[in-house]
Amino acid sequence: MDRFQAGDLPDRTARMAVGAAVALVLVIILADVISPKGVYLSPMLVVAPALTTAFAGPRLTAGVALVAIAAQMVAASLTGSALSAARLWQLSALVVVSILLIFFSYVRQRRARQLSRARRVAEAAQRVLLRPPPERVGPLRIGWQYLTAEDDTQFGGDLFAVTRRRPDSSRVIIGDVRGHGLPAISEASAALGSFREAARRCARLDELALILEESIGWDLEEGGEGPGQEDEHFVTALLLDLPDAHDHASMISCGHSPPLLVHSDGRVTTAHCDPAPPLGLGYLSLTGVRIQTVEYAVGDTLLLYTDGVIEARSPQGEFYPLAKRVRSFPYSESPEVLLKRLRQDLLAHTGGHLSDDAALLAVTRAN
């Protein structure tokens, strides 16, 4: 979700805004000319270039400023006070303020371009990191959505991937790294890399979970975590094994929210599972993991999500009721349609702004 920047107005809108600023100059000059003697309204001309800086760059700001300066001189000539001390001071003040406004507009536009470049780089890096899954993996149809938080500087560690374990099953992960910024991106990258490598060669899902636990633990140690900080970094994850020839799915939850199962008959249920500790804490080998099985027939959709979805709040502070809202949607075999409706409904609930990144992954077993 790209944030809207003031400097990103379409050209047509910018031209209309500049036209409004010029019209404001004309109104002020007309009022100044017809006002009683000794009443000067032309100092208000500075409002026009000041407003222009909010939606235009330095060139348009300079153009409007020149129009305002010319209008100031015309008004002084028409009122016969061109050489009065008051008019000269007003003109000087308008010139100085206009120069400052043009400089401010230049700095603002330069900063906006830097932020735009940084946003594009971040989006590209995130796409490389996530390596979005294809629309079709074996008998599965895949849909996904990644909604970024309102603050573009907060790049979270939400992650998901779908990989094929030949010859007859697919492996899925969705997870959430604690924290934001570069450390979270680094940990998410390590988790995804380990998953893609291990998912293809691990015969069992519990073996995959233990390998991920070990790999993420090593990565945190190499990251230079100091004493007492080990519990501050971890990854919640949901691992799934989806065989091609069976009507069930196996899953392991490592501290992650359970998925929703949208059945082909329209029913929506929660695929409850006993959660194991999150990855990276070092407890998984002590507590062990439990593989749980859920019904997953042709036409069913598994809806996976991160906590940014269920913890999204409305302006009144109400959490987003994911299961309730999904039950209200008309059934569709298309995961893309489901996620499109869900995205629109989630943003409507929050007023268009999210406080945390949110990832959604829908996996439908096709015919």
Side-chain angles (χ1 to χ4, degrees):
M1 181 178 62
D2 292 335
R3 290 181 64 192
F4 181 79
Q5 299 292 332
D8 295 337
L9 284 173
D11 291 341
R12 182 181 178 184
T13 304
R15 288 195 298 269
M16 293 176 60
V18 170
V22 173
L24 178 62
V25 170
L26 297 177
V27 171
I28 292 174
I29 289 303
L30 179 61
D32 184 73
V33 171
I34 66 176
S35 62
K37 187 176 181 179
V39 177
Y40 301 116
L41 300 179
S42 57
M44 296 177 61
L45 288 170
V46 74
V47 174
L51 291 177
T52 306
T53 60
F55 53 77
R59 291 184 179 180
L60 286 178
T61 301
V64 173
L66 289 175
V67 172
I69 292 171
Q72 172 83 292
M73 298 172 65
V74 170
S77 299
L78 293 177
T79 56
S81 56
L83 300 179
S84 68
R87 288 293 190 181
L88 291 176
W89 279 109
Q90 291 169 13
L91 181 61
S92 299
L94 179 59
V95 171
V96 171
V97 173
S98 294
I99 292 174
L100 292 176
L101 289 172
I102 293 170
F103 176 74
F104 170 78
S105 178
Y106 167 77
V107 173
R108 183 195 60 79
Q109 187 181 72
R110 183 178 179 182
R111 177 62 175 167
R113 288 174 177 172
Q114 290 174 342
L115 289 175
S116 179
R117 286 195 296 268
R119 190 184 305 118
R120 288 196 298 269
V121 170
E123 291 173 350
Q126 189 177 68
R127 183 168 289 273
V128 170
L129 168 66
L130 283 176
R131 201 187 306 168
E135 295 181 359
R136 188 83 181 225
V137 177
L140 307 176
R141 296 179 60 186
I142 311 296
W144 64 275
Q145 289 280 346
Y146 197 107
L147 291 81
T148 56
E150 178 183 6
D151 186 351
D152 286 331
T153 64
Q154 298 294 307
F155 305 116
D158 290 8
L159 57 98
F160 54 82
V162 181
T163 189
R164 189 75 176 150
R165 184 177 186 272
R166 292 182 174 87
D168 56 2
S169 71
S170 302
R171 296 276 172 83
V172 180
I173 185 174
I174 187 168
D176 189 359
V177 175
R178 183 187 184 276
H180 295 278
L182 292 178
I185 292 177
S186 175
E187 293 167 23
S189 177
L192 284 174
S194 299
F195 169 78
R196 291 182 177 119
E197 174 64 25
R200 294 183 175 92
R201 56 185 178 85
C202 291
R204 290 176 53 86
L205 204 58
D206 52 355
E207 180 185 356
L208 172 59
L210 292 174
I211 289 179
L212 291 178
E213 164 78 348
E214 185 178 36
S215 176
I216 292 172
W218 284 345
D219 181 71
L220 293 180
E221 290 181 6
E222 292 175 356
E225 296 300 322
Q229 295 182 344
E230 294 83 357
D231 291 348
E232 296 183 4
H233 292 266
F234 54 84
V235 181
T236 65
L238 184 69
L239 304 172
L240 296 101
D241 183 43
L242 309 176
D244 295 350
H246 302 283
D247 58 356
H248 69 269
S250 300
M251 63 180 180
I252 293 176
S253 172
C254 297
H256 201 79
S257 302
L260 295 182
L261 184 59
V262 183
H263 298 269
S264 57
D265 59 5
R267 292 180 298 117
V268 178
T269 59
T270 300
H272 292 288
C273 54
D274 296 330
L279 301 173
L281 296 178
Y283 301 143
L284 206 60
S285 59
L286 301 176
T287 62
V289 293
R290 180 182 176 186
I291 301 177
Q292 295 175 279
T293 302
V294 295
E295 178 187 353
Y296 185 48
V298 172
D300 291 350
T301 298
L302 279 166
L303 178 60
L304 318 179
Y305 53 91
T306 58
D307 58 7
V309 177
I310 56 176
E311 293 179 2
R313 293 176 181 263
S314 68
Q316 294 74 34
E318 299 176 351
F319 289 110
Y320 182 68
L322 176 62
K324 178 180 178 181
R325 297 305 303 153
V326 173
R327 290 188 182 98
S328 69
F329 299 157
Y331 172 75
S332 173
E333 292 185 354
S334 170
E336 294 85 359
V337 171
L338 171 62
L339 293 187
K340 182 179 180 180
R341 290 171 179 159
L342 185 52
R343 176 192 177 106
Q344 293 174 344
D345 191 67
L346 176 61
L347 293 177
H349 176 82
T350 60
H353 304 294
L354 295 178
S355 59
D356 191 13
D357 290 357
L360 291 159
L361 185 67
V363 184
T364 300
R365 185 186 290 277
N367 292 322

